[in-house]
Every structure is written in structure tokens, then in C-alpha cells.
Amino acid sequence: YGIDDTDVGKNVIQKLHGVYDHRQEYGSEIIAGSSFSAGLFMARRGIIPALLFGGLAGTGTYIFVYGLDKFKQIPGDMQNQFDGIFKK
């Protein structure tokens, strides 16, 4: 039909790479969706496993979206915010 399989595969990989590059633009939606769906999946086991598994999924997704370096900055950022609030 005039379509080469390598062209189709190449186009798909390029589109997926573009989506991956722009994942931080939709970070909150990705994290919320994965946390909710993981918690919903575990909801049949009870509320505690659902909350725990949803939290772990959200943490893992946050690290995937923003990277481990950004995750390690959170305690310092929180300390800066607390210092700004309580030292006024």
C-alpha cells in the first residue's frame, strides 16, 4: 500500500517521545489520576490498603514526572515556607 512499517514505527516513537518531553505540563493530572486509579483498584481490599497504595502510587508517579532531584528538594522547600511563615 505504499506505507513502510519502519515509517509508522518511527512516527509513533517520535510522538511518544514528544508526549514524554511534555509530561511536566500535565504533572498534577498524571499524579492525581494514577493515585486515584491505584487507590480505586485496592478499594476492594479495604480503605487502609487503598489509601496506602494510592499514596505510594502518587509518590512513584511524582518521582517519574518531576525526577528524583526535585523530590529531594521538597523538605528544603517546605522548611523555607515554614521559616517564612513563623519568623514574621
Side-chain angles (χ1 to χ4, degrees):
Y1 297 116
I3 298 174
D4 188 13
D5 289 339
T6 57
D7 291 339
V8 173
K10 185 178 177 181
N11 289 337
V12 168
I13 289 174
Q14 286 175 344
K15 287 182 182 180
L16 287 175
H17 188 19
V19 169
Y20 181 78
D21 286 340
H22 295 287
R23 71 190 182 281
Q24 291 182 356
E25 295 176 15
Y26 307 103
S28 59
E29 291 89 351
I30 295 170
I31 294 167
S34 66
S35 296
F36 179 76
S37 54
L40 190 63
F41 178 72
M42 292 300 289
R44 61 189 168 139
R45 305 250 183 225
I47 190 73
I48 301 298
L51 292 174
L52 181 65
F53 199 73
L56 289 173
T59 302
T61 306
Y62 183 92
I63 292 171
F64 172 74
V65 170
Y66 294 111
L68 194 56
D69 293 333
K70 180 100 173 163
F71 184 70
K72 290 179 181 178
Q73 291 175 348
I74 291 174
D77 291 343
M78 289 176 62
Q79 185 63 42
N80 292 339
Q81 289 177 355
F82 287 134
D83 289 344
I85 292 171
F86 293 116
K87 289 186 179 179
K88 287 185 177 181

